[in-house]
Amino acid sequence: MASNFKTIPIIDISPLLKKSDDPTMSEDKGVLEVCNLLDRACKEAGFFYVKGHGIPDSLINAVKDVTRDFFDLPYDEKNKIKLSAVTGYRGYQRIGENITLGVPDMHEAIDCYREVTPGMYGALGKSLEGSNMWYLFWFRPAALMVAKPRPCWVRTLLIYQKEMYIYLLFHRAMNLYMDKCDNVDFRPSNPSNFKPLMEEYLGLLKDLSRRIMQGISIALSGSPNMFEGERAGDPFWVMRIIGYPALSDSTNAMKLDNDIGCGAHTDYGLLTLVNQDDDITALQVRNRSGEWISAVPIPGTFVCNIGDMLKILSNGLYESTLHRVINSSPKYRVSVAFFLEPNFDAAIEPLECCVQHTGGVAKLGRAVYGEHLVRKVLTNFVM
Ligand SMILES: NC(=[NH2+])NCCC[C@H](N)C(=O)O
Ligand SMILES: O=C(O)CCC(=O)C(=O)O
Ligand SMILES: [Fe+2]
């Protein structure tokens, strides 16, 4: 349950990371100290900064630099990787396209999700089927639209799945082929190092976030691998590459509809790691009495927060805290948020160890993670 916190704690997680592969990690004094801090932060704020995470500053900064370079491109160029239902909601969304509580958000972004192959999660995963293969947009979204088979009431599901399979096989083959050619034009082709950099970053953040979850498992008095297996052994992930225009940028001809970069929301999964711009304070976190506490940038750290699924798993012991973004600085702000989520088809319910800690009664209902995600994604965009 969130409290009246006024600041967001900073936690050095290096002692935890040192012991990630040690099966007796939960007996280590250094690990336990980190877990205690994680536990307090998750109970009180649902937010914390991590340092000592091992991701080089140079990579953290390079990721923000390519993000800025991308959003600097002309709209037509960015729109070549336009997000739509056809792309499985992957790709670029312009300012105002994402909606929170019915209000357009004043940010632009590239949304990336773990690949979902056809039929992988049956009807549940249908709307998110697709992969982040930027260079296919080379053929332009219109071509993709024609090529992507759609379910249709006159056709059986079986035929649709077969077509979808061939379509994605084609995607895959193209992907492999283009990886082999270094003179091929993939999107975003500019900045040229966009794809390799983001992929390197993604790989490291997947690993880091799972290791922080080991600490959270111990904090909840479970085994370090409580989130492996059926819960999050094959975790879904989301990455949002985001740009927030300056509120009062006089050089910017565009008039913003409102001043909210991203409206108040909670995140959907387990754990979010935000890599935010160093010198602009814009992310705000709500405490129990409704005050907005700024997550002031601390260079070299990630801002971490708890998602809805971890709130359920912990039986409400940990809060998925409301937060929002308002960029009232005169500068364009970028951030890259990585979301570690449960298995797409995981049925999430309060963990036995948490129920015991919270009076013996499961206070929160069961949710299928993929259903929660799809419901959110479909209401975030009107298209
Ligand atoms: N996947 C996200 N965290 N998206 C940003 C949150 C805002 C989103 N429009 C919502 O209503 O939840
Ligand atoms: O840009 C940020 O600092 C946070 C973004 C965020 O909360 C989100 O995308 O869910
Ligand atoms: Fe968020």
Side-chain angles (χ1 to χ4, degrees), residues 67-87:
T67 297
R68 220 181 309 274
D69 290 348
F70 177 80
F71 290 125
D72 258 347
L73 295 171
Y75 171 69
D76 285 344
E77 191 63 22
K78 294 185 275 194
N79 217 35
K80 285 178 178 161
I81 58 161
K82 182 180 168 51
L83 168 155
S84 73
V86 170
T87 65

Side-chain angles (χ1 to χ4, degrees), residues 240 242 244 262 265 267 274 276 283 323 325 333 335 337 339:
R240 307 197 66 227
I242 319 170
Y244 301 88
C262 186
H265 66 278
D267 291 343
V274 180
Q276 62 168 338
L283 174 59
H323 53 285
V325 179
R333 173 183 186 262
S335 73
F339 305 86

Side-chain angles (χ1 to χ4, degrees), residues 98-101 105 240 262 265-268 339 376 380:
N98 203 313
I99 293 164
T100 304
L101 301 172
D105 289 324
R240 307 197 66 227
C262 186
H265 66 278
T266 58
D267 291 343
Y268 318 148
F339 305 86
K376 290 284 189 178
N380 282 346

Side-chain angles (χ1 to χ4, degrees), residues 237-254:
W237 57 260
V238 182
M239 185 165 71
R240 307 197 66 227
I241 299 162
I242 319 170
Y244 301 88
L247 247 190
S248 51
D249 187 348
S250 52
T251 64
N252 191 345
M254 182 187 40

Side-chain angles (χ1 to χ4, degrees), residues 158-174:
L158 206 70
I159 295 174
Y160 165 71
Q161 295 223 334
K162 207 177 277 170
E163 288 177 353
M164 217 29 224
Y165 187 74
I166 293 167
Y167 171 78
L168 269 127
L169 218 65
F170 170 69
H171 247 245
R172 265 273 165 87
M174 284 307 279

